[in-house]
């Protein structure tokens, strides 16, 4: 039952995509092949898919844990950027220092950066009752500007021909690649391990149960004696840590340096993924594959058909709206009223 | 029907089945114009479903409804209201964030001005003695006050048939009298009343016909004026009602729960300031707190349960351990159990399963191991709670919100009692329950009393208080009356105090003699 809305949303998105492609004058079948099949028809393509999937999966899992407790952290993008700044900055500071601890330390720094960024929202929410939706969203833009400042200013590479990029990270600071001939790195392994941990956490832990009670029935949580502030903090810190880790993985694994843009909106895509996956780790795992496919497909189709890669954003939007629509239509029935004065009389008895 | 006039409402062979249960099975009944017709039955007997069918909320599987002799099809509440059917629900359908007047305007204001509605509302309120402040926000009203708004809203639609679902559960004796006067005068004007209630003596007193439902079927149609509470109860639950007997007075237990000089300033415009509350309850004692809703019960309960933290530690003690600064979880660890008034959303999480709701207050027990939930243990506990306390149609995977009020309450009471508490605080534990469930819960409390547990019972039901309490006090405007042993006071005295005539502290109050509750 839980899968009906996400599946019908995916189906609707495909239909919408077909209409879109044919209205642009392309053969829908060709376009779909270029979008969904060609990118993953070889090992390299699958590597690229996994590369995009890792940060989306990490962010979505972190967010879903919060969403289940009605903590609306929608700023994973910002936490990812700060994670990239911290992890990348630490790696740059280390320079060529080598050691087994280097990479774990970089990733940890990234996660701490993401947590620090999310904790601003936590302080404001728990101390001053400021809505975390607004705070996390606005902090995303601040994070983006902070990164711009760093790569245009103090951290700009002296050998970068004035491009807004940092120096390259030393080899010792790069995540090891998994499969020769692909860019696939350890990040995907970590994100899958994290999926398992999130599943265990959500299914079995008392902490997650308490967070859920706070979200579903705050008065019952107070009755039980659960500390709402502590649980809001936990939600935001987990979300921030996951997104920060994703940022550090992007810098240390995929990109290898800091640049003005480190994420093509993974943190925002993760919100959609969390919901398509019904806030469940298994669902999120599959939804993140779909979302990653939108990203690689968008790039592929730019090359083969000359369609702007903004198509990725359109697909994301169609998916989200299809999901919302499916949810509404599954839970409610549309009724058409014709000349029925009763309908406007408006006694809205919310009958239980 | 041999009457010249057709019945106001007639039902023929109404059936309604849900996946798990047949809620209504071939129900037929007839309600005349101007009659007050009782629908009696235990929780889960199908009363609510039947009312929802009449009011157009739920569609029946089969059967017909006729209204003034004409067969009608009622598919929405709006159509029911068009016909002249009004309903006061047991669960209120008000918007908590809006004011009373806003709520009235929302339901009635399609063609009327706000001013007109306000005037009409006050007129009705005055006429029927319903005390209502139109500018207050609904969330700040007590349950009893919210119900008054519901009743008023219904009356303002000039119904020809008024369905009252458990209307008196939260009213004071005096308000019930007033309500009865109102219902009788409505009936005299030709409005039929369908009166759904568990309170048998009310039915005997008020109603002129009664239909008794059991497991979705009509088991009896009687004239309640010729019946007694006991004979009606027998119809309802099928076997003999065992009345709860007050156990012998408690022996030499020490004080287990104490409140010492508790003050709490009102948090907002509509909350009550608690002034100098002092109580102590010994083991094996049940102390009752009577009072009209909205006189500080909610504030007191928060302070006692730990949802509000006292400024000083020794203000509240459990077994002489000061716990004033401790939260609900720590107090529970020391043996406090709390049965809140509101079942859905406070005592239980509506969208969670019973197993997960069992976990709600089970932190200290064997449910948790290294931060992980032991679902096997929780499930066993849930089953034993369901079985021991007779929670009908419940399994560990049932969602709390899908249980009827009485069964959910039995579950909550069971959950709290199974944790072997030393002190129990129960707020309106039998509110809206049928006789069988209420007796089960009172017996369970008495049994705990017998084993040396201290019990605080906050209730508006004087019968209940006098039935099981050892001593009684009254809360009025945030103050407590002197505590009286139950055999040294009377419903008259307690009723007098509930009406706001608390004796001044220290003064030896004369027994009231000149009133008539």
């Amino acid at each position: 039952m839980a899968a009906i809305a996400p599946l019908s949303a995916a189906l609707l998105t495909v239909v919408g995509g077909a209409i879109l492609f044919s209205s642009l004058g392309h053969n829908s079948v060709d376009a779909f092949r270029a979008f969904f099949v060609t990118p993953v028809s070889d090992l390299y393509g699958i590597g690229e898919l996994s590369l995009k999937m890792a940060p989306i999966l990490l962010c979505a899992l972190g967010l879903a844990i919060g969403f289940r407790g009605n903590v609306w952290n929608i700023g994973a993008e910002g936490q990812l950027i700060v994670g990239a700044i911290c992890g990348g900055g630490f790696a740059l500071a280390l320079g060529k220092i080598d050691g087994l601890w280097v990479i774990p330390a970089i990733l940890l720094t990234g996660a701490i950066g993401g947590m620090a960024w999310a904790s601003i929202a936590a302080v404001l929410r728990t101390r001053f009752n400021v809505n975390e939706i607004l705070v996390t969203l606005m902090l995303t833009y601040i994070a983006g500007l902070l990164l711009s400042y760093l790569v245009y200013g103090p951290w700009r590479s002296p050998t970068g021909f004035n491009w807004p990029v940092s120096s390259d990270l030393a080899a010792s600071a790069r995540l090891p690649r998994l499969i020769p001939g692909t860019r696939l790195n350890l990040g995907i392994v970590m994100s899958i391990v994290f999926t398992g941990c999130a599943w265990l956490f959500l299914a079995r832990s008392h902490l997650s149960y308490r967070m859920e009670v706070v979200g579903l029935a705050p008065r019952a949580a107070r009755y039980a004696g659960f500390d709402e502030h502590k649980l809001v903090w936990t939600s935001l810190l987990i979300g921030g840590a996951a997104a920060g880790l994703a940022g550090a993985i992007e810098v240390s694994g995929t990109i290898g340096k800091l640049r003005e843009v480190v994420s093509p909106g993974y943190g925002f895509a993760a919100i959609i993924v969390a919901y398509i996956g019904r806030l469940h780790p298994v669902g999120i795992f599959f939804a993140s594959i779909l979302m990653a496919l939108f990203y690689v497909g968008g790039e592929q189709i730019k090359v083969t058909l000359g369609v702007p890669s903004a198509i990725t954003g359109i697909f994301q939007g169609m998916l989200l709206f299809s999901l919302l629509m499916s949810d509404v239509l599954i839970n409610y029935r549309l009724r058409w009223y014709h000349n029925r004065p009763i309908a406007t009389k408006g006694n809205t008895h919310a009958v239980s | 029907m041999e009457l010249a006039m057709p019945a106001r409402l007639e039902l023929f062979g109404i059936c309604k089945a849900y996946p798990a249960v047949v809620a209504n099975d071939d129900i037929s009944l007839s309600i005349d114009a101007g009659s007050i017709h009782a629908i009696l039955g235990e929780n889960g007997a199908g009363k609510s479903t039947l009312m929802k069918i009449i009011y157009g909320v739920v569609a029946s599987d089969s059967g017909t409804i006729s209204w003034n002799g004409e067969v009608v099809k009622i598919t929405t509440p709006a159509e029911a209201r068009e016909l002249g059917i009004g309903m006061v629900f047991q669960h209120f359908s008000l918007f908590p964030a809006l004011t009373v007047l806003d709520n009235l305007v929302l339901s009635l204001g399609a063609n009327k001005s706000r001013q007109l509605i306000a005037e009409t509302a006050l007129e009705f309120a005055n006429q029927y003695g319903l005390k209502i402040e139109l500018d207050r926000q609904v969330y700040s009203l007590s349950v009893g006050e919210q119900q008054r708004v519901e009743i008023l809203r219904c009356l303002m639609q000039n119904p020809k048939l008024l369905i009252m679902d458990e209307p008196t559960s939260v009213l004071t004796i005096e308000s019930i009298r007033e309500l009865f006067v109102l219902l009788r005068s409505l009936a005299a004007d030709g409005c039929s009343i369908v009166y759904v209630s568990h309170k048998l003596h009310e039915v005997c007193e008020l109603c002129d016909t009664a239909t008794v439902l059991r497991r979705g079927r009509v088991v009896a149609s009687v004239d309640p004026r010729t019946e007694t509470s006991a004979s009606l109860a027998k119809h309802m639950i099928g076997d003999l009602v065992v009345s709860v007997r007050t156990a012998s007075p408690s022996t030499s237990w020490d004080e287990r729960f104490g409140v010492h000089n508790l003050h709490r300033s009102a948090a907002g415009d509509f909350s009550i300031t608690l002034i100098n509350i002092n109580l102590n309850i010994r083991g094996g004692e049940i102390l009752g707190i009577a009072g009209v809703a909205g006189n500080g019960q909610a504030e007191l309960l928060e302070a006692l349960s730990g949802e509000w933290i006292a400024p000083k530690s020794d203000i509240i003690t459990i077994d002489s351990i000061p716990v004033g600064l401790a939260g609900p979880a720590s107090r529970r660890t020391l043996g406090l159990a709390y049965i809140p008034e509101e079942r859905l959303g406070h005592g239980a999480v509506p969208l969670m399963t019973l197993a997960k709701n069992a976990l709600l207050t089970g932190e200290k027990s064997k449910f948790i191991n290294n931060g992980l939930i032991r679902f096997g243990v929780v499930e066993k506990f849930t089953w034993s709670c369901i079985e021991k306390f007779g929670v009908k149609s419940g399994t560990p995977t049932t969602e709390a919100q899908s249980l009827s009020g009485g069964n959910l309450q039995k579950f909550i009471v069971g959950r709290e009692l199974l944790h072997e508490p030393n002190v129990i605080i129960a707020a309106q534990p039998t509110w809206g329950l049928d006789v069988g469930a209420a007796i089960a819960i009172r017996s369970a409390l008495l049994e705990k009393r017998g084993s040396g547990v201290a019990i605080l019972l906050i209730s508006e039901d004087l019968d209940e208080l006098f039935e099981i309490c050892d001593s009684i006090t009254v809360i009025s405007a945030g103050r407590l009356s002197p505590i009286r042993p139950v055999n040294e006071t009377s419903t008259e005295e307690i009723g007098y105090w509930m009406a706001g005539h608390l004796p001044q502290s220290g003064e030896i109050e004369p027994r009231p003699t000149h009133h008539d509750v």
Side-chain angles (χ1 to χ4, degrees), chain A residues 204 206 209 223-224 342 346 349, chain B residues 78 93 106 332 338 356 371 373:
Chain A
R204 294 287 314 276
H206 192 243
Y209 168 79
Y223 163 68
I342 290 170
H349 269 295
Chain B
S93 45
L106 264 174
R332 199 169 288 123
Y338 172 32
K356 285 196 165 182
I373 300 164

Side-chain angles (χ1 to χ4, degrees), chain B residues 261-267 271-277 296 298-303 307-309 311:
Chain B
N261 301 320
L262 167 68
H263 289 267
R264 180 182 175 188
S265 308
S271 70
I272 303 286
T273 300
L274 296 177
I275 302 153
N276 197 24
I277 305 281
E299 291 79 4
L300 179 62
L301 282 165
E302 281 177 1
E307 287 171 49
W308 178 79
I309 305 284

Side-chain angles (χ1 to χ4, degrees), chain A residues 43-208:
Chain A
L43 191 63
Y44 179 81
I46 291 172
E48 288 300 296
L49 181 80
S50 313
L51 212 58
K52 302 235 173 331
M53 180 184 158
I56 297 173
L57 181 55
L58 276 171
C59 291
L61 289 167
L63 294 184
I65 288 170
F67 290 167
R68 280 182 168 222
N70 276 3
V71 175
W72 304 109
N73 172 11
I74 60 166
E77 183 77 0
Q79 291 139 27
L80 184 150
I81 292 170
V82 174
I85 292 173
C86 293
F90 183 63
L92 289 172
L94 287 178
K96 289 196 170 11
I97 297 172
D98 203 353
L100 269 181
W101 55 272
V102 168
I103 286 171
I106 290 169
L107 297 180
L108 186 67
T109 317
I112 290 172
M115 282 159 79
W117 209 242
S119 68
I120 299 174
V123 172
L124 291 172
R125 157 89 190 254
T126 53
R127 290 288 296 250
F128 305 107
N129 212 15
V130 182
N131 186 314
E132 76 277 9
I133 301 178
L134 298 177
V135 175
T136 52
L137 180 64
M138 292 194 288
L139 281 172
T140 297
Y141 301 108
I142 297 176
L145 291 171
L146 181 65
L147 178 59
S148 293
Y149 163 74
L150 290 171
V151 293
Y152 276 102
W155 290 2
R156 175 144 60 176
S157 167
T159 59
F161 304 105
N162 254 350
W163 289 98
V165 293
S166 73
S167 307
D168 290 345
L169 300 192
S172 54
R174 299 294 303 273
L175 280 183
R177 294 214 172 152
L178 291 180
I179 303 169
T182 67
R183 297 202 293 152
L184 190 61
N185 59 46
L186 210 54
I188 186 68
V189 177
M190 284 189 279
S191 66
I192 290 171
V193 170
F194 193 79
T195 310
C197 297
W199 178 81
L200 183 71
F201 178 76
L202 290 173
R204 294 287 314 276
S205 80
H206 192 243
L207 180 58
S208 148

